[in-house]
Every structure is written in structure tokens, then in C-alpha cells.
């Protein structure tokens, strides 16, 4: 595994570490999946599940990152909350698409981003400067670092460049609570007639990466958590996307994240918000 000097904030080095650790964790959850999977707990609702593999993946990721860079912080979906002193906080989703993992659908990922504080960059006040998303079922490794473009398995990727909403294939996702889903279903009745079609793939990180690779024309979601989008947002931006929040004054994240070609993003935002 790559080791790095804790004081070095070189984005390319951080992206390599994110990628190495994401692949290691991804291979581990893939191995665990082959032995079967059971639900260990549920979170915001009965359908918001956590498996033992989510927990093991997060443990492995935290240990690998802090072994390489002991002064960094880590924020993880399954509870990691380590404050660092280096200025870098790793934002980690140990399995994004846990429901897909549970059903063995091939759309779950490990998502790891190195972030720095920046109130204007995202709703949680962090900006990713390097990140990687790995899908162990397909072997796809997406990575990006600030100013360095985005790659899929080492080859550069760019967004589709779609500028018309009527022919755009748009991905979205749904939260786990009944109240949130009612709002999301209402939004969908407005958006669906205005676009080519909708995809609900089940992993926000993978949605953003598929969008970055030109396989989707746009993506939006309400109510994402920082670990769902930290690496994917950077990968999408570095592939040419505009990623914005609810309005001019609100950074992407919670309540909303919209990602599209810079010439399409306002049409998407208006369609979703019903402006
Ligand atoms: C979920 C997935 C899903 C999105 C949800 C997320 P999880 O993350 O990314 O696609 O629609 O909002 O919570 O629970 O699988 O880590």
C-alpha cells in the first residue's frame, strides 16, 4: 500500500492513496459478499440497513489511512469521527449502495475523498482535493485530484456534454424515510415528463461517476450525506461538470445536489425545484 508523508497534501499522492485503500476495501467486501450477507442494524428507518461488511470495510479503511497518514482526520458513514491535525479529513463511505450489496446487485462502491475545510464548496464545509470510487463487482476504479482531471481505470473521462433537458438521461436517488420519499416522489412526477428518462441505480457515488464518464447526462438528489458525494462530486467536476446546490448561496450537498453540463444545470435545477 502507498505510504505518504503526513505533511504532504499533494492531491495526486492523496488520490493514489484513496485509490489503493478503496481497492483493498472493495476486494474485502466482495470476498465477504461471496460468503453471504446479513443485516447487522438499521439506521434512519427499517429499510436503511447496515451490514457487518459496512463496518469491517470502514475499520479497514480507517486503519489503512491513518497508518499512512497518522495526523489526518476521518469522517465515516458508519461512525468514524477522528479529528486530525494535518488539515486533511478523509470522508469515507465504506459501502455506498448497501441495499444493492445486500441483494448482490452489481452497483455498490467504496468511496474515499481527501478534503480540506472550505465553507463555499459543499454544504458540510469541506472541499475534496482528491478522491476515488471503486466498484468491486465491475472492477471500475474512478479517481480524480483537483486540477488533474478524472479517470476510469487510468483513462481520462469526460461528461457527455448534453445540453437539452428533454433528451437527457437523468439519475437520482431516494432517502430512507417515508417523509423524504413522499417529497422525492412528488418531485419525480414533475421531472419525469421533462426528460428522456430517469435512472435510480442505488449508489450516489456510482451515479456521480457514471455521470462523469458520460453514461448519464445529469444527476440530482435531495438529502445526501457528505460521504455519499465527497469523492463523486470531485470526479464529476474534474470531468467537466457543474455541481451546484439549491440556489446561488447554497453549496451542493444538503438539501440538494445538482450535477450536469454547465449549460444544462440551471434547466435541471428549475425542473426539480419547480421554479
Ligand atoms: C445511499 C445511496 C443511494 C442514495 C441514498 C444514499 P447507502 O447510500 O447512495 O443511491 O439514493 O441517498 O443514502 O445508504 O447505500 O450508503
Amino acid at each position: 500500500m502507498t505510504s505518504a508523508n503526513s505533511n504532504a497534501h499533494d492531491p495526486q499522492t492523496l488520490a493514489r492513496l484513496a485509490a489503493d485503500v478503496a481497492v483493498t476495501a472493495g476486494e474485502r467486501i466482495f470476498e465477504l459478499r461471496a460468503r453471504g450477507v446479513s443485516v447487522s442494524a438499521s439506521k434512519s428507518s427499517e429499510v436503511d440497513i447496515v451490514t457487518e461488511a459496512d463496518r469491517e470495510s470502514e475499520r479497514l479503511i480507517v486503519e489503512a489511512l491513518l497508518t499512512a497518514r497518522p495526523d489526518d482526520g476521518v469522517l465515516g458513514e458508519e461512525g468514524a469521527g477522528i479529528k486530525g491535525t494535518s488539515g486533511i479529513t478523509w470522508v469515507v463511505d465504506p459501502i455506498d449502495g448497501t441495499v444493492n450489496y445486500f441483494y448482490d446487485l452489481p452497483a455498490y462502491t467504496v468511496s474515499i475523498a481527501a478534503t480540506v475545510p472550505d465553507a463555499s464548496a459543499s454544504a458540510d464545509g469541506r472541499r475534496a482535493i482528491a478522491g476515488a470510487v471503486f466498484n468491486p463487482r465491475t472492477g471500475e476504479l474512478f479517481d480524480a485530484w483537483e486540477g488533474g482531471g478524472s479517470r476510469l481505470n487510468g483513462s481520462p473521462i469526460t461528461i457527455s456534454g448534453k445540453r437539452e433537458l428533454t433528451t437527457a438521461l437523468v439519475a437520482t436517488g431516494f432517502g430512507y424515510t417515508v417523509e423524504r420519499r413522499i417529497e422525492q416522489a412528488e418531485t419525480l412526477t414533475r421531472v419525469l415528463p421533462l426528460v428522456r428518462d430517469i435512472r435510480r441505480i442505488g449508489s450516489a457515488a456510482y451515479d456521480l461517476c457514471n455521470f462523469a464518464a458520460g453514461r448519464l447526462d445529469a444527476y440530482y438528489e435531495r438529502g445526501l450525506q457528505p460521504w455519499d458525494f465527497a469523492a463523486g462530486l470531485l470526479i464529476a467536476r474534474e470531468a467537466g461538470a457543474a455541481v451546484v446546490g439549491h440556489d446561488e448561496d447554497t453549496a451542493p450537498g444538503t438539501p440538494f445536489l445538482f450535477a450536469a453540463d454547465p449549460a444544462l444545470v440551471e434547466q435541471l435545477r428549475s425542473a426539480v425545484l419547480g421554479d
Side-chain angles (χ1 to χ4, degrees):
M1 186 155 300
T2 308
S3 82
N5 177 334
S6 286
N7 296 319
H9 290 185
D10 167 47
Q12 188 170 355
T13 309
L14 294 169
R16 202 171 308 128
L17 178 60
D20 285 351
V21 176
V23 170
T24 305
E27 285 170 350
R28 181 67 184 142
I29 60 174
F30 182 73
E31 214 175 274
L32 290 173
R33 185 68 193 72
R35 297 187 205 163
V37 63
S38 60
V39 173
S40 308
S42 54
K43 297 188 282 187
S44 59
S45 78
E46 194 192 346
V47 294
D48 184 7
I49 55 173
V50 184
T51 68
E52 191 39 49
D54 287 89
R55 292 176 171 163
E56 181 165 337
S57 176
E58 185 157 308
R59 277 196 295 271
L60 184 160
I61 293 167
V62 172
E63 194 186 317
L65 292 173
L66 295 186
T67 299
R69 299 180 50 92
D71 300 332
D72 291 354
V74 187
L75 173 72
E77 180 177 19
E78 303 315 332
I82 296 156
K83 283 198 189 313
T85 54
S86 71
I88 295 286
T89 300
W90 294 91
V91 178
V92 169
D93 197 333
I95 303 181
D96 186 47
T98 303
V99 174
N100 287 341
Y101 182 75
F102 184 60
Y103 283 86
D104 206 17
L105 286 167
Y108 56 85
T109 55
V110 177
S111 173
I112 302 180
T115 70
V116 293
D118 182 344
S120 65
S122 70
D124 63 306
R126 297 187 185 86
R127 186 176 93 248
I129 58 170
V133 172
F134 180 59
N135 179 339
R137 279 292 302 270
T138 60
E140 293 164 304
L141 173 65
F142 299 86
D143 79 290
W145 60 88
E146 212 168 46
S150 301
R151 284 152 297 280
L152 165 54
N153 292 340
S155 300
I157 51 173
T158 54
I159 59 167
S160 69
K162 172 69 72 181
R163 292 163 164 238
E164 303 80 32
L165 194 60
T166 47
T167 50
L169 185 60
V170 179
T172 190
F174 307 126
Y176 292 108
T177 63
V178 169
E179 298 73 24
R180 174 56 43 79
R181 285 182 172 185
I182 289 170
E183 291 163 357
Q184 287 167 328
E186 280 165 7
T187 302
L188 208 51
T189 60
R190 194 162 50 242
V191 176
L192 184 54
L194 302 177
V195 300
R196 182 189 296 276
D197 208 342
I198 290 285
R199 292 290 178 271
R200 195 293 192 249
I201 291 171
S203 159
Y206 198 37
D207 286 328
L208 281 161
C209 290
N210 278 316
F211 159 65
R215 299 164 172 173
L216 297 164
D217 296 314
Y219 166 73
Y220 76 90
E221 187 160 340
R222 178 173 195 166
L224 289 173
Q225 299 295 326
W227 39 81
D228 296 320
F229 67 80
L233 186 159
L234 175 69
I235 291 166
R237 273 211 179 126
E238 287 293 327
V243 187
V244 301
H246 180 269
D247 53 42
E248 300 274 288
D249 302 321
T250 317
T254 299
F256 274 103
L257 181 148
F258 301 95
D261 184 275
L264 176 64
V265 80
E266 282 310 321
Q267 291 172 65
L268 176 69
R269 182 153 64 177
S270 309
V272 170
L273 298 178
D275 289 343

